[in-house]
Every structure is written in C-alpha cells, then in structure tokens.
C-alpha cells in the first residue's frame, strides 16, 4: 500500500498577500508622510509654479494637481493618516466593549442578556448617519468626537456576533467538562469561551475598519468630517470639476476603494485560514471483526480498565470509569456519547493532561 500523502496546509493565497502589501503601503505612507520626499500638501502651485492648476497625472505630479495647484499625490498620502487613526481607534474601542457585552450576554444570559440585547437592538435600529451628523453639528468634527461617535455605533455588531458565538461555544462538551471539574465562571470565560470568540471578532474587525473608512469618507463628502485633508474631502473637491479634470475625484476614490477592498480580503483570509475545517483521511483499513483484537505488531494504543478520579472541593468525580479499547495502525476509532459522558476526559486521561493537579488515574 502506498504511503498516505501528508495533508497540505492551506495558505492565505495570492489575493490575501496583495491586500496585505497594499495595506502596508498605505500605512507606511500615513506614518512617514512628514519625512517622505514629497511636496507639502498645502503648497499652492499658483504661487510656486511647481504644479499647474488641473495638471494631469504625469512625471512632475504623479496624481496631477488640483484647482489650486496642490500636489494630489501628496494630499492622498496625507489623507490616509486621519482615516487610519480613526479606523484603528474605533476598532479597538468598539471591539473591546462589544466583545465584553457579547460574552456576558451569551454566557450569563437571563436578565443581563435581555438588557444588553435590547440596547443592541435599539442601537442597530437608530440611523447611524443621523447620529453622526447630529454629533458633529453639536460638538464639532474633531477626531476625539468622531472616535466616540463611531465607537458607539460600532459596539452593537460586535456584541451580536460575539453573543451568537458564545451561545454556541457554551454548549460544547469541553465547557461542560471544565464546569464539572469545578472551574469557576471566570476561569471558564478566560480559558474556554474567550479564545474561541476571538476569531470571529478578528475577522469582523477588518470589515468594521473598512466600514469606518467608508463612512468617514461619506461624512467628508458632505463637509462634516475632520478639518484636514481626507480622502472624502478630496473626492468632494474634485466632484465639481469631474468633467474637465476627472482625476481629482477618481484617484482618491480609487485609493479609498482599494483600501476598503484590501481590508475585506484580509478579514476573509484570516477567517478562512484559521477557521475550523474537516480533517481529511487518506488511508483506511477494514475494522477487525468483533471479538478478534488487532495484531500486537499493529497496535498503536491499548487501554484496559482505565479509571480517572478528579479530587475537587465538592468531592471526588469519577470522570472515567472502566474504559478499555484498542487502536491499530490505519484504524479510525470513534467515541460516541452525549454531552458530559466523559469523551473529553477520556482523551485527557490518555494524554495525562488535567486542568487540576489532584487526579488519580489507574489502568
């Protein structure tokens, strides 16, 4: 029989790495915009004569010049900074608060779940653009104000995603096993629940980041965003002359579109790469007939009358009680049982890994 080929490890793919490269360039330009060898974004070409008004893209100005002779390339690079600052701050705040609320709602349940999800439903029902316009009209359009407004709107989606994931994970056997061994709520949350909800949170964080950038651009387009160079502001400045100088609006819009698309592909790549997936078996052998144990030379695992007792404060828990099995090379052994029947503890007993130190194992 030919040896089984090792399973290929799934990579991120070309699209993911192209998206990562584009994102890295945008971040690099935003961070080092002040020291890069590019023109001052506020320098007027009508004064210096360096860039002509409505100059088309070319060697002198890569992205051309705007109505005042400003270098559009320099403005696009500097416009990435407020978008990234806003996106990073909002993502961290909204993800942290939304994850906390979602875990509490999905694990504690009861009145806490009802109160949190009622607030989340109200938040999702309220028009976000109306809130942003109202906040900027009352408190101005400074960066802290926009971070606060965007964060409030971003909490609800994270909370719903995390709550759904927590409800699913909380019913899994390893959570019930940890609880049966005396683990408290805090330990179960920290060791069992939170690690399993991080992947959906991370995957959505990229999408949420992209949504923040797009929404900020929409606010800039209507003149309600930051009082500095932004991609949305550049698009708004160029839309009035789009017939004669279409590059003034199309280039910033393309850069914003590619950045949003890159963050979406990054989120999909992370989810696809690290999400749980089925295991492919490439070699099978017929199971031996009942009553005929496998040959000794082919036996990989043989267990006889295995007993495992967990000594906890409430008392001794008989987690595994008299299990015997044989596993030969090429065989697949399935352990079937309802939740809490001891499947996880059987594997822990075989490997010798237990969450508490006081354990007696015989067999």
């Amino acid at each position: 029989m030919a040896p089984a080929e090792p399973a290929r490890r799934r990579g991120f793919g070309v699209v993911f790495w192209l998206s990562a490269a584009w994102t890295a360039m945008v971040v690099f330009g935003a961070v080092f915009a002040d020291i890069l060898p590019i023109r001052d974004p506020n320098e007027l070409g009508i004064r210096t004569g360096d860039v002509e008004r409505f100059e088309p893209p070319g060697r002198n100005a890569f992205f051309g010049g705007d109505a005042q002779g400003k270098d559009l390339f320099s403005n696009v690079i500097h416009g990435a900074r407020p978008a990234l600052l806003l996106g990073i701050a909002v993502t961290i705040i909204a993800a942290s608060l939304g994850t906390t609320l979602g875990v509490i709602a999905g694990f504690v349940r009861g009145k806490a779940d009802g109160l949190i999800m009622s607030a989340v439903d109200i938040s999702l029902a309220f028009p976000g653009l109306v809130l942003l316009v109202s906040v900027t009209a009352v408190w101005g359009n400074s960066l802290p104000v926009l971070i606060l407004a965007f964060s409030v709107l971003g909490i609800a989606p994270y909370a719903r995603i995390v709550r759904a994931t927590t409800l699913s994970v909380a019913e899994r056997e390893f959570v019930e096993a940890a609880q049966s061994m005396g683990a408290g709520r805090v330990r179960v949350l920290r060791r069992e629940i939170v690690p399993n909800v991080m992947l959906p949170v991370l995957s959505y964080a990229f999408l949420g980041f992209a949504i923040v950038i797009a929404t900020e651009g929409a606010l800039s387009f209507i003149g309600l965003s930051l009082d500095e160079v932004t991609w949305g502001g550049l698009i708004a400045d160029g839309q009035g002359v789009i017939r004669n100088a279409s590059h003034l609006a199309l280039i910033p819009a393309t850069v914003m579109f590619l950045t949003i698309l890159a963050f979406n592909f990054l989120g999909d790549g992370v989810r696809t790469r690290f999400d749980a997936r089925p295991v492919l078996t490439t070699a099978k052998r017929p199971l031996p007939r009942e009553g005929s144990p496998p040959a000794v030379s082919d036996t990989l695992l043989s267990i006889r009358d295995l007993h495992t007792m967990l000594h906890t404060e409430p008392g001794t828990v008989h987690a595994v009680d008299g299990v015997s099995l044989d596993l030969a090379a090429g065989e697949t052994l399935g352990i079937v049982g309802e939740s809490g029947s001891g499947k996880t503890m059987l594997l822990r007993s075989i490997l010798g890994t237990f969450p508490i130190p006081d354990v007696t194992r015989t067999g």
Side-chain angles (χ1 to χ4, degrees):
M1 179 182 295
E5 297 181 359
R8 294 183 179 180
R9 188 172 184 177
R10 181 166 50 178
F12 285 105
V14 177
V15 175
F16 177 89
W17 291 115
L18 289 176
S19 302
W22 173 265
T23 303
M25 287 192 300
V26 173
V27 173
F28 179 84
V31 172
F32 299 102
D34 295 331
I35 62 176
L36 290 175
I38 57 178
R39 295 184 177 93
D40 184 344
N42 298 315
E43 188 177 79
L44 299 179
I46 56 177
R47 293 181 179 177
T48 63
D50 196 16
V51 179
E52 298 292 336
R53 297 176 64 244
F54 302 114
E55 180 175 332
R59 295 181 60 183
N60 180 49
F62 297 137
F63 291 171
D66 65 5
Q68 297 177 313
K70 295 180 182 179
D71 188 353
L72 185 59
F73 178 75
S74 177
N75 277 271
V76 168
I77 291 181
H78 280 81
R81 181 176 295 175
L84 294 180
L85 285 175
L86 184 63
I88 292 173
V90 170
T91 300
I92 293 175
I93 296 174
S96 300
L97 296 178
T99 299
T100 302
L101 293 176
V103 168
I104 294 174
F107 188 71
V108 178
R109 304 184 188 179
K111 293 183 179 180
D113 185 16
L115 291 174
I116 292 174
M117 295 315 299
S118 296
V120 167
D121 292 338
I122 293 173
S123 176
L124 291 174
F126 193 86
L129 187 59
V130 173
L131 175 63
L132 292 174
V133 171
S134 303
V135 168
T136 54
V138 175
W139 287 289
N141 54 353
S142 63
L143 185 60
V145 171
L146 289 182
I147 289 176
L148 177 61
F150 276 96
S151 298
V152 170
L153 292 175
I155 292 174
Y158 285 100
R160 290 190 69 91
I161 292 173
V162 173
R163 176 183 178 270
T165 306
T166 302
L167 288 173
S168 175
V169 173
E171 301 295 332
R172 301 289 296 275
E173 292 83 356
F174 58 86
V175 175
E176 295 181 357
Q179 292 173 333
S180 66
M181 289 184 292
R185 281 190 169 184
V186 176
R187 181 182 177 88
V188 172
L189 284 173
R190 181 169 52 88
R191 297 287 299 272
E192 311 295 345
I193 302 295
V194 173
N196 285 280
V197 304
M198 284 296 101
L199 179 60
V201 170
L202 181 61
S203 178
Y204 182 77
F206 287 98
L207 177 60
F209 196 108
I211 292 174
V212 170
I213 294 178
T215 308
E216 186 278 329
L219 286 178
S220 299
F221 190 78
I222 60 178
L224 294 177
S225 188
L226 302 171
D227 293 328
E228 54 185 291
V229 177
T230 62
W231 288 338
L234 294 175
I235 297 172
D237 293 339
Q239 60 92 20
V241 293
I242 195 169
R243 285 191 175 184
N244 300 323
S246 59
H247 64 280
L248 296 182
L250 293 181
I251 290 179
T254 302
V255 172
M256 178 185 290
F257 166 76
L258 292 176
T259 304
I260 294 173
L261 187 64
F263 275 102
N264 280 296
F265 281 136
L266 289 176
D268 289 341
V270 170
R271 177 186 55 78
T272 303
R273 177 63 177 82
F274 295 107
D275 199 4
R277 52 191 182 273
V279 177
L280 176 64
T281 56
T282 56
K284 295 182 179 179
R285 292 185 182 181
L287 293 175
R289 295 181 179 179
E290 185 177 355
S292 58
V296 177
S297 58
D298 290 337
T299 301
L300 298 179
L301 177 65
S302 180
I303 297 175
R304 291 291 178 270
D305 198 26
L306 176 63
H307 294 264
T308 300
M309 291 167 285
L310 309 176
H311 304 291
T312 64
E313 290 185 3
T316 300
V317 177
H318 294 269
V320 179
D321 194 7
V323 174
S324 300
L325 59 86
D326 293 289
L327 180 64
E331 287 186 348
T332 300
L333 176 64
I335 302 175
V336 182
E338 62 183 6
S339 298
S341 61
K343 300 185 295 297
T344 302
M345 284 309 307
L346 174 60
L347 297 178
R348 285 183 177 271
S349 300
I350 295 173
L351 298 175
T353 58
F354 301 100
I356 60 175
D358 196 0
V359 178
T360 301
R361 181 179 57 172
T362 61

